[in-house]
Amino acid sequence: MSRTKISGAIATVSALALLAACTPSSSDPSDTRDDATSAEVSPAPEFRIGTVADDAGEADDSAEASASPTATDGPVGETAPTGGDIDVDAGKRLVLSVDGAVLKDVSLVDPDHPKIAVDPGTFVDAAGAELETDDQPTAGGLTSTEEDTDAPSPAATSAPESSESPTADSGGDAENTVTAPDSAAGWTSDFDLVADSTYEVSATATTPDGKDHDFEATATVAASDAEPMTMRTVLSDDQTVGVAAPIILTFGSTVAKEYRDDVEHRLSVDVTDEDGKKREVEGSWAWLPNDPESRLHFRPKEYWPAYSKVSVDAPVKNVPMADGRVGANDLTLDVEIGREQVTEASAKTHRMTVTRDGKEVMDFPTSLGSAKAPSYNGTHVVMSKHANYTMTSARWGYTTPVQWAVRIHNNGEFVHAAPWSAGVQGSQNVSHGCINLTTQRAKEYYDSAIYGDPVIIKDSSVDLSTEDSDISDWVYSWDEWKKLSALN
């Protein structure tokens, strides 16, 4: 979460928190807090709801409240009775405070999209200082790991490893609730409110007499006249893909960096086995360099477990994406992960092996890139297949038709039939970077390959870079990949 957003939240909630701090515990001015007796019945607390903009605490004045974040100018937001409704503006963050009590917990839920991760928000104390929370969820969904077996109902492996979070689940209010730290007097959501949405807000506050008071309200967000930005995926529903296939989302334009956390926060990825039982998979979203539009990829830390179903929920319609731009559409995707087929080709041994579900099914002599045009070390991914394809290279000056071509990288690397090099396959590297096989062997591999299969080249003199391909996901180390998340 950006420091700009957090500082804005603290500044706004400070005004609300200070009001709570000034609430006397007795009508007698000579009494102090220490002298107050817990046996006295405290008046019911007063809850207030407002909104704050991302830029340094510019507050919303839609409720005829002061827009200043300072206590001397009065409270921000409006008093809201439990069960009431309030209208709020899109593209801002919700502020909740309580007078005459301390917050015990808070929940902000979009009931139309129950898989969205819990918004942990930012708590402040009566002096307006940010409070640390222990073992609280952070946005973006749970990074599922075997160690997190006690975590509530993960919506996905959709956050960085450092962002372990339960997600909103309509089946249990406790899973939507963020527990407040001691002395909490105010809370601000970490993420912008989405236009044309209705949120359910709930909280519990404890008065000085030790009694808990529950609060519920509905926050309705007005529609937006911002220009829509589309989001698409390169995969198709029910497509069967290999274990290295990333989930790829592309946008119709550039998603501004300050809004990427709002987009990513709403995404979830569920992984289940063939019987529909949830599988624990650690993974993360990453914003890759614009090409020229924004690209958002999800990959697991290791390969997907074979014979799984991956379900993606991306409710980004009306989510802010840039100044004057919002998401045009929601998106869902269900793909099947097929068998685990891993190909390895060595520039040293001149062999290409294919392992399927742990069993070696092919071991072919091959020829890789020559010394002047070496193949690239690293994990490639099957991107497409062509029974007939014409290879062209301005650099090397050739135009060559080939059969059974399997593209594994956008730098021109393929696995393909090369009958002209059959005599040296298994002993020399003579290609322009491709993996050469005889026609029969190339056809056998072609028939077995599917989009997303990993192809690992090793023992060459050059390495893949992260800038060369549409699918460079596996070139990044896991730590590097996690840093590309907007939620990290």
Side-chain angles (χ1 to χ4, degrees), residues 361-403:
V361 293
M362 302 177 204
D363 182 0
F364 297 151
T366 186
S367 179
L368 276 68
S370 65
K372 66 178 182 180
S375 303
Y376 285 82
N377 289 320
T379 301
H380 305 61
V381 176
V382 170
M383 302 173 65
S384 61
K385 302 197 304 182
H386 311 270
N388 294 281
Y389 193 84
T390 299
M391 301 283 184
T392 60
S393 173
R395 178 183 180 186
W396 302 111
Y398 66 79
T399 299
T400 305
V402 301
Q403 289 185 299

Side-chain angles (χ1 to χ4, degrees), residues 347-348 368-369 374-377 457-463:
K348 181 178 180 180
L368 276 68
S375 303
Y376 285 82
N377 289 320
I457 294 177
K458 56 186 181 179
D459 302 323
S460 184
S461 60
V462 294
D463 299 327

Side-chain angles (χ1 to χ4, degrees), residues 6-366:
I6 292 176
S7 62
I10 294 173
T12 301
V13 179
S14 296
L16 308 175
L18 286 170
L19 291 175
C22 295
T23 302
S25 59
S26 167
S27 59
D28 186 344
S30 65
D31 282 347
T32 65
R33 289 182 181 269
D34 291 337
D35 295 330
T37 105
S38 60
E40 294 178 352
V41 177
S42 302
E46 183 179 85
F47 290 88
R48 289 181 176 274
I49 295 181
T51 54
V52 60
D54 287 345
D55 50 337
E58 179 187 347
D60 174 42
D61 59 1
S62 61
E64 302 299 323
S66 169
S68 171
T70 64
T72 56
D73 288 336
V76 175
E78 66 177 16
T79 301
T82 187
D85 297 331
I86 185 172
D87 294 328
V88 291
D89 290 336
K92 297 185 178 181
R93 289 170 293 124
L94 191 81
V95 178
L96 175 69
S97 70
V98 61
D99 297 344
V102 294
L103 286 172
K104 185 176 181 180
D105 55 52
V106 174
S107 174
L108 178 65
V109 174
D110 179 349
D112 291 332
H113 302 290
K115 289 188 175 183
I116 295 174
V118 169
D119 189 331
T122 302
F123 287 96
V124 296
D125 62 15
E130 181 183 351
L131 296 172
E132 293 186 2
T133 55
D134 295 329
D135 301 323
Q136 290 297 333
T138 55
L142 176 71
T143 297
S144 302
T145 63
E146 293 182 0
E147 290 76 18
D148 291 324
T149 53
D150 294 331
S153 182
T157 57
S158 60
E161 183 180 23
S162 59
S163 298
E164 298 181 356
S165 127
T167 59
D169 182 2
S170 56
D173 291 340
E175 295 177 7
N176 303 324
T177 301
V178 181
T179 301
D182 293 341
S183 305
W187 179 87
T188 301
S189 65
D190 280 344
F191 300 97
D192 292 343
L193 298 170
V194 174
D196 200 20
S197 298
T198 299
Y199 291 85
E200 294 176 354
V201 186
S202 62
T204 302
T206 305
T207 46
D209 60 4
K211 184 178 179 180
D212 288 345
H213 297 261
D214 294 328
F215 170 79
E216 294 181 354
T218 299
T220 301
V221 191
S224 170
D225 59 0
E227 182 181 353
M229 183 189 300
T230 57
M231 182 179 70
R232 300 182 177 87
T233 178
V234 302
L235 301 178
S236 303
D237 271 331
D238 302 321
Q239 181 177 350
T240 299
V241 299
V243 295
I247 304 300
I248 299 176
L249 303 179
T250 60
F251 297 83
S253 187
T254 300
V255 179
K257 288 185 178 180
E258 59 264 34
Y259 297 110
R260 290 182 176 183
D261 57 345
D262 295 303
V263 173
E264 190 179 333
H265 161 67
R266 295 177 68 87
L267 309 180
S268 62
V269 182
D270 284 301
V271 185
T272 55
D273 64 16
E274 294 175 291
D275 297 323
K277 183 179 179 181
K278 185 173 291 293
R279 280 181 158 161
E280 304 297 331
V281 177
E282 184 177 355
S284 177
W285 291 99
W287 294 86
L288 298 182
N290 295 334
D291 188 34
E293 293 82 13
S294 289
R295 300 181 294 158
L296 180 59
H297 289 207
F298 182 95
R299 54 154 276 205
K301 180 180 180 180
E302 308 295 343
Y303 297 144
W304 297 108
Y307 308 109
S308 297
K309 180 178 181 180
V310 177
S311 297
V312 181
D313 187 41
V316 299
K317 185 176 181 180
N318 292 318
V319 174
M321 293 191 176
D323 291 342
R325 303 292 301 273
V326 296
N329 59 294
D330 294 336
L331 183 149
T332 60
L333 175 68
D334 293 301
V335 296
E336 305 286 338
I337 307 299
R339 76 287 177 272
E340 182 182 70
Q341 177 161 301
V342 180
T343 299
E344 289 192 4
S346 170
K348 181 178 180 180
T349 65
H350 314 292
R351 308 292 298 188
M352 186 187 94
T353 60
V354 179
T355 302
R356 188 178 305 142
D357 294 332
K359 180 181 179 181
E360 186 177 284
V361 293
M362 302 177 204
D363 182 0
F364 297 151
T366 186

Side-chain angles (χ1 to χ4, degrees), residues 472-484:
S472 57
D473 302 40
W474 299 97
V475 182
Y476 293 91
S477 72
W478 182 237
D479 286 340
E480 291 171 338
W481 184 259
K482 290 185 296 180
K483 291 178 181 178
L484 299 177

